[in-house]
């Protein structure tokens, strides 16, 4: 191998020294840049991302940060432009940064849901209702009262006049038997008392008519709880279309007005709107309603209503039954089943038969059939204001031997009145 010359060795040494010098300069520059980068990072908190709910969490800072104040015309910390550290003239303030700062959006308060309580109706007092509603009997008054007073007040009556009296009573639906009894009493009393004036005739007629209505009968609706605390139970029965559901609702108003607590049983499951209608009546007076599925078993609903009434400790349970055709044996048998099922829990105190006063003799036929299936305790005559045949009151009492307890004299909520013989006769005579 040829020997390396001295000149070549010198050039190699110079090249190595040059490479080392360049490497040293580059390392110094990189180190300086790294220190600057680390310093900038320490001075500004880092955003680590979004928290659930929209808040932002910041990493903790180990060094003080500049106050958010504009200095020397430069924007404050947090604005788009950076703040040169050497331009801040205020002393730095140490700010304690919590481990995690979460900025949550202010939640809007949820509106409170307040259920509207149904406003309870103000119910008219039941006492004296028939007196207040006497004007509603104008049709019956014109047929019965005006006609009879015109005949009897004329003085001595011949046979033709007495025939006219009979006809007037029959047209008013008093019935043949009641009519004959009234005519015989009038003929005898007119002679014995020497009735000569219209006032005397009116007083005598009033007395005879009231007597035929048997004012001694108990016409109160039994609505007080039993000695063992169980509620009184009343079934409301009748054919379709006479107004049973409306009557049940109005009766609830009568009882509440008299200080009773009431629960309603919607046992008319075959008419879609019956339960809704009854529940509306109940809500207006603060009475709960027990109802079952459409086309369900009426006896089951009646049973549950009485059970609920016992649990709640109410005074009275009113049960609205389905309308029945008095000619349909199956439906009538079902009514008997309702009564038997209810009696497994509590005695049935009232069976109120609702009759349409405008139906006359047909209403009496219905009454007889119902009376064969269940023991009727009282009659409710509806639509009495719409008929000239007010005498149906006399006839139905005579046929069934049970009192008329309530009469309907209009469409108003408080137009169901406890029946008072004296007030009724006074309304008829005007």
């Amino acid at each position: 191998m040829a020997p390396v010359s001295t000149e070549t060795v010198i050039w190699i040494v110079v090249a190595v020294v040059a490479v080392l010098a360049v490497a040293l300069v580059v390392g110094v520059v990189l180190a300086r840049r790294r220190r600057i980068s680390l310093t900038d990072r320490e001075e500004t908190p880092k955003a680590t991302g979004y928290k659930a709910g929209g808040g932002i969490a910041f990493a903790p800072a180990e060094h003080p940060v500049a106050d958010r104040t504009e200095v020397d015309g430069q924007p404050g910390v947090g604005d788009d432009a950076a703040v040169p550290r050497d331009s801040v003239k205020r002393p730095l303030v140490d700010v304690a940064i919590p481990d995690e700062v979460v900025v949550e959006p202010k939640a809007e308060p949820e509106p409170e849901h307040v259920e509207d309580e149904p406003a309870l109706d103000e119910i008219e007092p039941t006492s004296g209702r028939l007196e207040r509603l006497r004007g509603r009997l104008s049709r019956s008054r014109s047929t019965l009262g005006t006609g009879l007073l015109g005949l009897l007040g004329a003085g001595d009556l011949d046979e033709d006049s007495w025939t006219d009296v009979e006809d007037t009573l029959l047209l008013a639906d008093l019935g043949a038997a009641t009519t004959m009894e009234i005519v015989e009493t009038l003929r005898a009393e007119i002679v014995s008392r020497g009735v000569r004036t219209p006032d005397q005739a009116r007083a005598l007629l009033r007395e005879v008519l009231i007597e035929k209505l048997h004012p001694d009968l108990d016409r109160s609706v039994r609505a007080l709880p039993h000695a063992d605390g169980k509620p009184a139970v009343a079934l409301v029965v009748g054919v379709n279309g006479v107004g049973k559901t409306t009557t049940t609702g109005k009766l609830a108003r009568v009882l509440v007005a008299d200080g009773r607590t009431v629960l309603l049983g919607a046992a008319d499951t075959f008419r879609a709107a019956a339960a809704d209608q009854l529940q509306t009546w109940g809500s207006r007076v603060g009475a709960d309603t027990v109802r079952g599925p459409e086309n369900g078993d009426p006896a089951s609903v009646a049973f549950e209503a009485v059970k609920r009434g016992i649990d709640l400790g109410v005074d009275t349970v009113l049960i609205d039954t389905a309308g029945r055709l008095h000619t349909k044996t199956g439906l009538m048998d079902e009514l008997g089943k309702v009564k038997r099922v209810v009696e497994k829990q509590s005695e049935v105190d009232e069976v109120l038969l609702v009759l349409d006063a405008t139906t006359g003799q047909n209403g009496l036929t219905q009454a007889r059939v119902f009376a064969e299936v269940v023991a009727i305790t009282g009659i409710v005559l509806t639509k009495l204001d719409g008929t000239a045949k007010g005498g149906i009151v006399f006839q139905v009492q005579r046929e069934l031997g049970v009192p008329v307890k309530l009469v309907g004299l209009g469409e108003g909520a408080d137009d169901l009145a406890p029946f008072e013989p004296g007030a009724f006769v006074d309304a008829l005579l005007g």
Side-chain angles (χ1 to χ4, degrees), residues 11-40:
W11 279 109
I12 292 173
V13 172
V14 170
V16 170
V17 171
V19 170
L20 291 173
V22 171
L24 180 60
V25 171
V26 171
V28 171
V29 172
L30 291 176
R32 181 176 176 77
R33 288 184 177 179
R34 180 175 179 78
R35 284 197 301 274
I36 293 173
S37 175
L38 288 174
T39 301
D40 290 342

Side-chain angles (χ1 to χ4, degrees), residues 65-71 74-79 83 90 95:
V65 296
D67 190 10
R68 295 177 61 88
T69 307
E70 183 177 317
V71 181
Q74 298 295 330
V77 174
D79 292 326
V83 180
R90 290 190 181 188
V95 179

Side-chain angles (χ1 to χ4, degrees), residues 237 335 350-353 367 370-372 374-379 400 402-403:
V237 304
L335 177 59
E350 294 277 7
V351 179
L352 299 174
L353 175 62
F370 274 92
E372 292 173 1
V374 289
I376 304 297
T377 61
I379 304 296
L400 298 182
V402 297

Side-chain angles (χ1 to χ4, degrees), residues 144-155:
L144 182 61
T146 305
L148 285 178
L149 288 175
L151 292 168
L152 297 175

Side-chain angles (χ1 to χ4, degrees), residues 1 21 27 45 83 93 113 136 150 167 184-185 216 230 255 265 305 373:
M1 178 184 296
V83 180
V93 180
H113 177 65
R136 305 283 178 85
D167 291 344
E184 288 175 5
T185 302
D216 55 321
K230 291 183 178 181
L255 297 178
V373 178

